[in-house]
Amino acid sequence: MGDTARRIVASSGRVINKGVSWFVFCILDLLDIVLCVVFKVVDLVVEGEWKPCYCSSGSAKEAIRSGGGNILVSEHGGESKILSLTTSSKILQLEDISDTLFSRPSLVSQLKRLHIDSSHKNSNTSFTVNSTIVEMLGRRQHGQHPATARWSDCDCTLCTGWISPSSKGKLFVRTQGPIMTTGGMRRGEDVLFIHGFISSSLFWAETLFPNFSGKVKSSYRLFAVDLLGFGRSPKPSESLYTLREHLEMIETSVLEPYKLQSFHIVAHSLGCILALALAVKYPRSVKSLTLLAPPFYPVPKASAAQATQYVMSRVAPRRVWPPIAFGASMACWYEHITRLICFVICKNHRLWEFLTKLITRNRLRTFLMEGFFCHTHNAAWHTLHNIICGTAGKMEAYLDAVRDNLNCKVTVFHGKDDELIPPECSHELQTRIPRANVNVIDNKDHITIVVGRQQVFAQELEQIWTTT
């Protein structure tokens, strides 16, 4: 087949993919609306309360009224800007909340927006505050943190162990290595491992921890956390899972109680964003940064005002092919469809794990399944939008700060076959941090960049730590 024929076939494939995708996602748009009504009714029947969602937004005045008048809104002419919200003694910056949570353009929403715009064309204010965010923040302000699983979430011991008083509201942390020497003094190095989206600390503990050398096992302290909302860590239903909340939980669960003064960070996927934010916050403490598949999408100047929307369009392009793009689009765009998926899969994860072991005759290790299943829809939905999309306007500043203010070693690993986060993201990162050592591994994808090459990767990490 000649080059011309290949181009024709490729062009035809793109047109077909675009057309089929338009049809499929129009159907999904409508299905999500139907599920919105279904879930609201079931929530009302089962929990006795009409739960909010992000399908509709109210005006600033309505938002203030529903939040009890505790939200501070500053309006400047035709533009309105939320500055901050006071909750008890804390101030939560609403800029930490991604607008992709409540602004995801669809065929239906665009038609609705045309009607709204025409009915408000004479209004002096154009900014709207989503009532769901206001209501959730209002609950937090009045101390309403129900420590129980919702009817659509799993209530097994593994998923709800954080409710026990013994957990003290801290992240679940897997540790390996000595805490103190016999003389009461620390020796060796400290390493913090941060997993990616819908994963857990087992991603590290089951792969790397057993494959480190005797020297590392005896003298290094290794800390692998379950992020807020994932694995065995707390999953508060009223949390918005912002970057600020994730960082604070890491600080109060690992850095402070274990007295980490100087440490290395190893992070995967979404965890790379948290790693960069930590490095910027603790520039004198971070000794090395090892990032796997970092989701860095440079925002063009023309899209700077809508950086979050641009990154969401890159992560979730609303295409049915390749399949991983379809999965990412489902996760990003559909609040109620993803809640249904979580209900079917996560709430019944014990059944799926049993069937997997039965079918494979217990030959398949299920640690990846535990990480994938043990989360709530609320945690996954907010973390995806507030971390991946919500930090779109901050990533370049983080990278520039690492380049200019940190002397730590920066090493990046990326699977060449990664279709979820393409290797170009790592190359773009290197343009911001020229000293970063980028390694693109052949025949590896988003998961097999670690799983399947854990022995080699453990050795690579030890070399990074010893040469820092």
Side-chain angles (χ1 to χ4, degrees), residues 194-213:
I194 307 175
H195 64 76
F197 185 58
I198 53 174
S199 186
S200 74
S201 56
L202 289 174
F203 184 77
W204 311 110
E206 291 285 337
T207 57
L208 295 179
F209 283 19
N211 288 290
F212 285 124
S213 66

Side-chain angles (χ1 to χ4, degrees), residues 170-307:
K170 305 294 185 182
L171 298 181
F172 180 81
V173 184
R174 297 180 190 273
T175 62
Q176 178 175 293
I179 302 301
M180 291 288 182
T181 65
T182 55
M185 297 295 292
R186 276 274 297 112
R187 57 174 177 166
E189 305 278 351
D190 291 330
V191 186
L192 173 63
F193 293 84
I194 307 175
H195 64 76
F197 185 58
I198 53 174
S199 186
S200 74
S201 56
L202 289 174
F203 184 77
W204 311 110
E206 291 285 337
T207 57
L208 295 179
F209 283 19
N211 288 290
F212 285 124
S213 66
K215 178 182 178 181
V216 167
K217 291 180 180 179
S218 62
S219 59
Y220 279 59
R221 294 196 304 175
L222 310 179
F223 302 91
V225 300
D226 284 351
L227 292 176
L228 181 67
F230 298 88
R232 304 190 183 192
S233 285
K235 305 172 181 67
S237 60
E238 303 304 335
S239 173
L240 290 169
Y241 296 89
T242 63
L243 178 69
R244 190 185 307 268
E245 289 175 282
H246 278 289
L247 293 183
E248 287 178 352
M249 287 298 287
I250 292 175
E251 291 170 333
T252 59
S253 303
V254 184
L255 303 189
E256 294 172 5
Y258 292 99
K259 303 185 185 305
L260 271 64
Q261 302 297 325
S262 178
F263 53 94
H264 305 270
I265 302 179
V266 180
H268 177 239
S269 190
L270 175 145
C272 295
I273 299 175
L274 302 179
L276 288 168
L278 278 174
V280 171
K281 190 171 184 178
Y282 298 94
R284 297 183 180 179
S285 298
V286 177
K287 300 186 69 174
S288 73
L289 273 173
T290 303
L291 309 176
L292 291 88
F296 172 52
Y297 299 91
V299 180
K301 291 183 178 180
S303 302
Q306 295 182 320

